[in-house]
Amino acid sequence: APFFFEKPKAMSVEEGQDAEFICKIMASPTPEITWTQGNRVLKSGGRLKITTETSGQLYTTCLVIKKIAPKDSGNLLLVASNECGEARAMLSLEVEKVEAKPEEKPEPAAFVKVPKNCETLEGETAMFDCKVLGEPRPSLKWFKDDQELEEERYIVDYNSSGVCEFSIRDTVPTDAGWYTCTVSNPHGGQSMRAKLILHLKPKTEPAAFIKVPKNCNTLEGETAEFDCKVVGEPRPSLIWSKDDQELEGERYVVDYNGSGVCVLYINDTVPSDAGWYTCTVSNPHGE
């Protein structure tokens, strides 16, 4: 008599999906295989497809019900019979109803939090943030000087709740200025501007001479002058000395102006003023 090598399994299928039942039967001689539901014998056609494949005494039968509907719920009976007897298998089919999604109401893209001005230091990361709403979800773009920003330094993090963070890494002086965020969907759009204020790092330059002092000849009692010009950032400090002693006293006048020009005046010169004078300039970056 026929017997089940592999019985079909009960199924729970979401409405609109396909259901497939597979069963393997051992039998000899060839069995007659029927699928029924209630009082109805199922036949291939329309949404139903029944196939049977044979390999020796093994028969594989398959029932496919396409686009399952609630009316397909219920018990299915599979019967395999021949002159030696029969085998029966009962299984259930449950259809899960899909709840209709609420209809989405169209809503134009708009800002619920606008980007604000950002202030940061050159070389640091600048960030603007905003929040938008709209249905369908708005597209979002950032611009500067009417050019869309697409370099790797520009990072846009726009999450599903409508919050957007726009970051500019490794800021440079040319990043300063106005930025525009534009949001849009098929029902409308908006643009908002915010300004990046960038504080530039002070330039650094070691102290150095660009004009060195030259030897000076003068008469006793006259005024001797040495002049030079220096550069550096921050502005270098400047010291005049003779014989390793810093010059102090009313006869020594140092005129050191904002453009880096320095003049040392030695008034009412005396014989002991003769000799070598040293001008030393320095700042935190060099001497």
Side-chain angles (χ1 to χ4, degrees):
F3 68 91
F4 291 107
F5 183 75
E6 181 181 314
K7 285 188 176 183
K9 297 178 181 179
M11 295 187 69
S12 179
V13 181
E14 193 175 87
E15 182 181 357
Q17 301 299 311
D18 295 347
E20 182 180 63
F21 301 92
I22 298 175
C23 177
K24 295 183 179 181
I25 303 162
M26 295 293 293
S28 180
T30 301
E32 181 182 354
I33 298 173
T34 58
W35 291 85
T36 60
Q37 186 175 35
N39 297 321
R40 182 167 66 101
V41 177
L42 304 180
K43 302 287 185 181
S44 285
R47 295 189 300 117
L48 301 180
K49 183 179 180 181
I50 300 173
T51 58
T52 301
E53 296 180 356
T54 304
S55 177
Q57 296 181 359
L58 179 64
Y59 297 83
T60 302
T61 181
C62 177
L63 166 64
V64 177
I65 307 174
K66 296 181 179 179
K67 296 182 180 179
I68 286 288
K71 66 180 181 180
D72 296 317
S73 294
N75 293 324
L76 297 169
L77 176 64
L78 172 62
V79 178
S81 61
N82 61 16
E83 59 192 51
C84 300
E86 69 176 23
R88 291 170 169 255
M90 181 76 74
L91 60 147
S92 64
L93 170 59
E94 181 181 342
V95 179
E96 300 174 6
K97 191 170 183 179
V98 178
E99 293 185 6
K101 293 183 179 179
E103 187 177 344
E104 295 177 342
K105 295 182 179 179
E107 183 179 14
F111 288 91
V112 291
K113 179 184 177 184
V114 300
K116 295 182 179 180
N117 294 345
C118 172
E119 196 168 346
T120 192
L121 186 66
E122 177 188 358
E124 300 295 325
T125 296
M127 189 178 77
F128 298 95
D129 68 296
C130 60
K131 186 174 183 179
V132 300
L133 53 75
E135 191 58 52
R137 172 180 164 86
S139 63
L140 185 148
K141 294 180 179 180
W142 285 88
F143 298 85
K144 183 176 187 287
D145 302 328
D146 297 323
Q147 296 292 318
E148 185 175 356
L149 303 175
E150 296 178 330
E151 294 180 23
E152 290 184 358
R153 291 194 305 121
Y154 306 117
I155 300 173
V156 178
D157 181 6
Y158 179 28
N159 67 25
S160 58
S161 63
V163 174
C164 174
E165 292 183 349
F166 170 57
S167 302
I168 307 169
R169 297 184 302 182
D170 305 320
T171 51
V172 295
T174 54
D175 289 327
W178 288 95
Y179 289 78
T180 301
C181 181
T182 299
V183 295
S184 62
N185 67 9
H187 308 292
Q190 280 187 341
S191 292
M192 291 291 174
R193 294 205 312 161
K195 189 175 186 179
L196 173 57
I197 302 166
L198 203 60
H199 296 284
L200 304 183
K201 288 183 178 179
K203 293 181 180 179
T204 59
E205 183 181 12
F209 288 96
I210 56 174
K211 179 184 177 184
V212 298
K214 294 182 179 180
N215 295 341
C216 172
N217 292 309
T218 191
L219 294 173
E220 180 183 354
E222 299 295 324
T223 297
E225 294 182 17
F226 296 98
D227 68 295
C228 61
K229 188 173 183 179
V230 300
V231 292
E233 190 62 48
R235 173 180 165 87
S237 62
L238 187 147
I239 297 174
W240 285 91
S241 59
K242 181 176 184 290
D243 301 329
D244 296 325
Q245 294 293 318
E246 184 177 350
L247 301 179
E248 296 178 344
E250 293 182 356
R251 290 195 307 118
Y252 305 111
V253 178
V254 177
D255 181 8
Y256 179 27
N257 67 25
S259 62
V261 174
C262 175
V263 181
L264 167 65
Y265 299 96
I266 307 173
N267 296 316
D268 305 321
T269 53
V270 295
S272 60
D273 289 330
W276 290 96
Y277 289 77
T278 301
C279 181
T280 302
V281 294
S282 63
N283 68 9
H285 308 291
E287 179 178 333

